[in-house]
Amino acid sequence: MRLFYKLLEDEEDDYVPYVPIKQRRLEKLHKYATQRRMTHDLRDRSSNDEGSEEDEAVQAGPRANISLLDQTVQQRKQIPEKTEEEKRLEEERRIEEAQARHKALVSVQESAHGLIYTDPIKTSWSPPKCILQQGEEFHQAIRERYHILVEGEDPVPPIRYFEDMKLPSVILDYLKDKKILKPSPIQIQGLPVALTGRDMIGIAFTGSGKTLTFSLPLVLFALEAEVRLPLVQGEGPIGMILCPSRELARQTYDGLNAMSEALSKSGKYPELRSLLCIGGIDMRDQQDVLYRGFHMVVATPGRLMDMLNKKKFNLDNCKYLCMDEADRMIDMGFEDDVRTIMSFFKSQRQTLLFSATMPKKIQEFALSALVKPMVVNVGRAGAANLDVIQEVEYVKQEARMVYLLECLQKTPPPVLIFAENKNDVDDIHEYLLLKGVEAVAIHGSKTQEEREYAINSFKSYKKDVLVATDVASKGLDFPEIKHVINFDMPKEIEDYVHRIGRTGRSGKTGIATTFINQQCSEQIRLDLKHLLREAKQKIPPFLAAMEDPMEKYGGQLLSGGCSFCGGLGHRINDCPKLEQQRRQQMNTMMSRSRGDGGGF
Ligand code: AMP
C-alpha cells in the first residue's frame, strides 16, 4: 500500500497537463519561427561585424540554433561557384571515364589473375649506334620537321632512311622495286618503335604507309624465329594482324606474302608462310599451310574466333598482335570478340594499334593494356589527308543522280563513289551501266565472289568506277584514285575522313566531291565545316552561314573537338554518336529485361 502511494506521489510530481494536438502544433511552429529569426539575426550581425567572437561561436561546431538546412545553404555559399567552362570540362571527364571503364584490352585470364606486364617485349633489334649518338634533341628536331608527335616514356629515335634501319638487303631491294625509296613519317618513327618491341598506338592518315609499318617488323620477327628454330607441323603463328574487313585483311595478307616471297626467292632466307583467316572463304584451300605450320596470320575477328574455338590452331607462341583500323573494329562491335581473342594468348605479346582516326575512347581502351606504349601521331588524329582537295556542293536529293554524271567529268578514271545504303549503291550502279559507264559495285549483301570481282577489276583498271558503301572505304588501298564522290554525306565525320582518304595517297593530289543537302544533320554539317577549315579548304557559303555552337566555347577548337568521335564541330557533351550508342544500350537492356532478348 505504501508503495502504491509512493508511485502516486511520483506521478503527481511529473504531472504534465494534457495539451490538445492543435495547440502543440502551434507551439512547435512558433518555436521554429523564433529559432529561424535568431539565425537570421546572427547571420546579419556576422556579415556586419566579420570575425567577431560571437560570430566565431556560431560558425563553429554543430550549431544547435541553426537548422541543418540553413547550415547547408550557408556552406554552399562559401564554396566558390564553378565557371561554365569548369562545369563543362568536369562533365566531359565524367563521360569519358564512364566510356573507358569497360574497355580494357586485356584477356579474361589476365584480368582474372591480376597479371600486369611492366616491361616491353625484348627483341634483338636496336637502333644503330650512329642514330643513338645523335641525341634526343636532334631526334626531336627530326620529329618536328616531319610533323611527328610522340608520347610515352623513353621515346625510340626516329630513323630517316631505310638503309639505317638494319634491314636485310633483300628487303631494301624489295622496297626499291615497289618505288618505296624513303620512309614516310609514320615509318620514320613507327618502324623503329615496332622493331624494338615497344607497344604502340599509331595514328596516321590513310595512304601514309602504315601497313608497311606493322607488316615489315612482323615479317622480320617471323624470319628470326624460323632461322632460330624452324616451325614444324601445326606450330605458329608468331604474329597476327587483325583487320575489321575481309578486303583489308586480304590486302595486308598479299603484302606479307610479297615480302616473304622476295626473301625466299633470294635463296638466302627460308620460306615464311601466312594464313588468311577471314569469313567467306573456304579454309580447306589453305589446309597445306595449316598443316605445315605458319608464321603469320591475317584475320577478321569472327572467323578467327571460330578457328580458335575449333582448335584449328592456337596462339600459344603468338608474340605480336597488330590491330589495324582499331577504331573501326570497336565501332563495328568487335570489342568483345577482341577481348575473347586476347584470352587465347598464353604470354605477353607486343601490341600495336593502328588507325587513321583515333578518338580518345580507343586510346583509353588501349592504354589500359599496352606496356609502356609509344603513341606516334602523324597529323592530328581524325584529320583529313591534306593532299585531298575537298569540294562540297549543295545538291538536292532528287537531283543527285543526274549531277553525278556531270561530276564524273571532273577527272579521268578511276573514280570511287560512296553511298551510305546498299539500295543507293545498286541504283547508282544500274544508272551508270545504263549510261554506258564501266562501273562495278560492292556492298555487304554481295557475295564474296562478287566483292572480289569488283575490287580486282577496279584495281586492275578494267573498270573505271567503283560504287561502294563504307565497307570499301575501310583502309583499302586503290592506287591512283583520281576522284572520290560522296553521293551522300556519311552520318559520322570519321567515315568522311576514311572515304576521302581513298584518294590523294602516297603524296599524290586527289579530289573529293561531297553532295550535301538538308537531309544531312546539322551536327555533321558543323563537323564538316570545321574539318574543311582545319584542312584549309574552301568552305561553301551554306556551311559558312551556319550558326556555330562551338563559339560558345570561345569560338576556338578546344583540344580538337569531341573526344569521343573526333568530330570538330561539337564537344563530347553533344556527341550524336555517343547519344546513339547510349540509346542502343538502353534498348538492349530494356529488351533483355522484357525477356525478348532471343537467347539460345
Ligand atoms: P597505307 O594503306 O597507309 O599502308 O598506304 C599504302 C600505300 O602507300 C601503298 O600503295 C604503298 O605501296 C604505298 N607506300 C607505303 N610506304 C611508302 C613510302 N615510304 N613511299 C611511297 N609509297 C609508299
Side-chain angles (χ1 to χ4, degrees):
M1 198 65 175
R2 259 239 214 110
L3 185 67
F4 175 76
Y5 281 118
K6 174 86 184 102
L7 282 174
L8 214 63
E9 272 169 25
D10 286 352
E11 256 187 24
E12 271 176 8
D13 280 350
D14 292 344
Y15 175 72
V16 181
Y18 173 72
V19 182
I21 190 152
K22 201 171 163 191
Q23 197 179 333
R24 270 187 282 161
R25 276 199 188 132
L26 263 170
E27 275 174 8
K28 221 174 178 178
L29 219 64
H30 180 70
K31 202 170 138 194
Y32 182 60
T34 321
Q35 253 179 19
R36 278 186 69 84
R37 222 173 299 125
M38 277 169 67
T39 315
H40 282 290
D41 286 354
L42 282 168
R43 206 179 299 149
D44 288 346
R45 235 181 297 157
S46 76
S47 58
N48 291 337
D49 181 18
E50 254 180 74
S52 75
E53 271 191 16
E54 205 178 348
D55 184 30
E56 280 289 304
V58 176
Q59 300 250 331
R63 294 166 292 177
N65 57 350
I66 304 179
S67 76
L68 280 175
L69 202 73
D70 284 337
Q71 287 189 38
T72 319
V73 172
Q74 207 172 341
Q75 272 171 1
R76 286 217 179 115
K77 274 188 186 161
Q78 284 163 6
I79 303 170
E81 271 282 312
K82 283 190 184 130
T83 64
E84 279 304 307
E85 178 66 2
E86 280 169 342
K87 279 188 203 158
R88 189 180 55 74
L89 288 174
E90 200 172 275
E91 169 77 0
E92 284 188 7
R93 255 195 311 275
R94 200 183 49 71
I95 300 174
E96 283 166 12
E97 274 169 21
Q99 280 305 309
R101 212 163 296 147
H102 306 293
K103 300 204 167 177
L105 185 65
V106 280
S107 80
V108 184
Q109 280 165 5
E110 280 164 6
S111 59
H113 294 160
L115 254 181
I116 297 170
Y117 302 112
T118 48
D119 289 319
I121 285 240
K122 289 208 169 32
T123 66
S124 61
W125 192 94
S126 60
K129 246 196 191 130
C130 61
I131 298 288
L132 289 172
Q133 279 165 353
Q134 290 168 341
E136 184 49 32
E137 210 172 301
F138 186 81
H139 297 152
Q140 194 47 35
I142 296 178
R143 292 188 193 110
E144 272 162 31
R145 187 165 153 210
Y146 291 95
H147 306 286
I148 303 166
L149 300 173
V150 294
E151 280 169 50
E153 280 172 65
D154 302 330
V156 179
I159 305 183
R160 278 175 300 165
Y161 304 101
F162 287 124
E163 289 75 8
D164 289 343
M165 292 189 190
K166 298 201 218 165
L167 303 174
S169 59
V170 180
I171 292 290
L172 291 177
D173 293 342
Y174 165 85
L175 293 175
K176 269 188 209 124
D177 228 43
K178 294 258 163 204
K179 310 260 176 313
I180 300 177
L181 307 174
K182 276 176 81 181
S184 63
I186 186 68
Q187 292 161 355
I188 288 179
Q189 183 64 78
L191 276 170
V193 172
L195 287 166
T196 38
R198 286 284 293 269
D199 283 358
M200 166 173 168
I201 298 182
I203 305 165
F205 53 78
T206 44
S208 61
K210 62 189 168 73
T211 316
L212 188 76
T213 314
F214 56 75
S215 301
L216 181 55
L218 173 56
V219 169
L220 297 181
F221 294 148
L223 184 65
E224 194 180 27
E226 175 67 17
V227 169
R228 205 181 300 140
L229 195 66
L231 288 196
V232 293
Q233 191 182 335
E235 279 185 344
I238 306 293
M240 172 163 80
I241 297 171
L242 262 183
C243 306
S245 76
R246 298 168 184 181
E247 284 78 16
L248 185 55
R250 185 177 283 283
Q251 193 172 282
T252 307
Y253 167 79
D254 289 343
L256 290 179
N257 277 346
M259 273 186 271
S260 309
E261 211 177 294
L263 285 167
S264 62
K265 264 196 179 154
S266 71
K268 294 185 200 163
Y269 300 100
E271 177 199 47
L272 297 178
R273 293 177 291 281
S274 301
L275 183 81
L276 180 64
C277 184
I278 58 174
I281 61 168
D282 191 343
M283 292 306 287
R284 280 174 301 189
D285 294 346
Q286 300 179 81
Q287 200 55 45
D288 178 50
V289 174
L290 268 166
Y291 179 74
R292 291 172 61 206
F294 52 94
H295 304 82
M296 301 167 269
V297 57
V298 186
T300 49
R303 180 48 79 88
L304 178 66
M305 282 217 299
D306 181 48
M307 295 291 280
L308 290 171
N309 281 330
K310 287 182 181 154
K311 298 198 173 23
K312 297 282 181 196
F313 62 90
N314 59 56
L315 301 180
D316 293 4
N317 292 315
C318 194
K319 296 271 184 334
Y320 185 95
L321 166 69
C322 174
M323 276 174 68
D324 192 11
E325 308 274 344
D327 55 343
R328 297 276 122 212
M329 206 104 73
I330 305 303
D331 280 351
M332 288 165 81
F334 287 133
E335 195 182 324
D336 286 337
D337 292 0
V338 171
R339 228 172 294 133
T340 310
I341 291 165
M342 293 293 149
S343 66
F344 284 89
F345 281 87
K346 285 280 155 59
S347 55
Q348 190 184 351
R349 65 254 148 210
Q350 181 184 1
T351 310
L352 299 101
L353 298 189
F354 272 85
S355 187
T357 55
M358 187 72 76
K360 207 163 182 168
K361 60 181 168 157
I362 307 293
Q363 297 201 22
E364 311 252 353
F365 168 77
L367 289 173
S368 58
L370 304 196
V371 183
K372 241 176 113 178
M374 241 185 105
V375 180
V376 180
N377 188 339
V378 181
R380 189 189 66 75
N385 183 344
L386 297 181
D387 290 330
V388 182
I389 298 164
Q390 301 175 55
E391 294 180 355
V392 178
E393 302 193 30
Y394 194 94
V395 187
K396 276 192 186 152
Q397 198 75 352
E398 59 282 5
R400 290 180 303 168
M401 204 66 94
V402 179
Y403 188 62
L404 187 64
L405 268 190
E406 201 176 307
C407 241
L408 280 175
Q409 314 295 324
K410 272 193 195 177
T411 66
V415 178
L416 195 47
I417 302 174
F418 282 113
E420 190 127 68
N421 70 58
K422 299 170 192 172
N423 290 341
D424 280 344
V425 168
D426 286 336
D427 290 349
I428 298 168
H429 185 206
E430 206 177 303
Y431 178 75
L432 293 180
L433 289 178
L434 274 172
K435 296 287 172 189
V437 178
E438 287 286 341
V440 275
I442 168 177
H443 58 62
S445 297
K446 299 253 181 204
T447 64
Q448 189 61 23
E449 287 87 63
E450 285 173 320
R451 285 161 77 154
E452 270 170 31
Y453 167 75
I455 286 180
N456 291 337
S457 53
F458 185 63
K459 267 190 173 180
S460 57
Y461 303 102
K462 287 188 191 116
K463 299 286 176 185
D464 294 335
V465 176
L466 174 69
V467 194
T469 51
D470 284 275
V471 275
S473 76
K474 311 288 158 54
L476 281 189
D477 180 30
F478 300 114
E480 305 274 337
I481 286 194
K482 297 279 193 278
H483 190 185
V484 168
I485 302 176
N486 289 317
F487 189 73
D488 46 32
M489 181 67 194
K491 289 200 178 60
E492 284 160 24
I493 199 74
E494 280 173 276
D495 287 328
Y496 173 81
V497 174
H498 279 274
R499 283 182 178 189
I500 68 166
R502 300 307 97 205
T503 182
R505 292 166 85 81
S506 316
K508 297 188 183 82
T509 309
I511 298 182
T513 306
T514 303
F515 297 174
I516 209 167
N517 55 40
Q518 293 302 336
Q519 298 278 321
C520 317
S521 74
E522 193 182 316
Q523 200 63 74
I524 192 77
R525 279 184 279 152
L526 276 173
D527 285 345
L528 180 61
K529 175 177 164 177
H530 281 276
L531 193 98
L532 292 174
R533 186 180 295 155
E534 197 196 40
K536 301 201 172 32
Q537 302 284 322
K538 221 166 75 186
I539 300 177
F542 55 89
L543 287 186
M546 283 183 80
E547 208 175 296
D548 191 346
M550 287 298 273
E551 269 153 27
K552 74 182 172 203
Y553 302 129
Q556 44 181 312
L557 307 177
L558 285 160
S559 60
C562 174
S563 55
F564 184 73
C565 76
L568 288 172
H570 65 274
R571 307 287 299 172
I572 191 169
N573 320 38
D574 308 316
C575 178
K577 191 170 172 182
L578 182 59
E579 186 55 37
Q580 190 196 355
Q581 186 181 309
R582 279 189 187 144
R583 232 176 288 136
Q584 266 171 2
Q585 280 169 352
M586 206 61 178
N587 287 343
T588 318
M589 272 161 58
M590 276 160 70
S591 64
R592 267 198 210 131
S593 67
R594 280 200 305 268
D596 54 6
F600 296 98

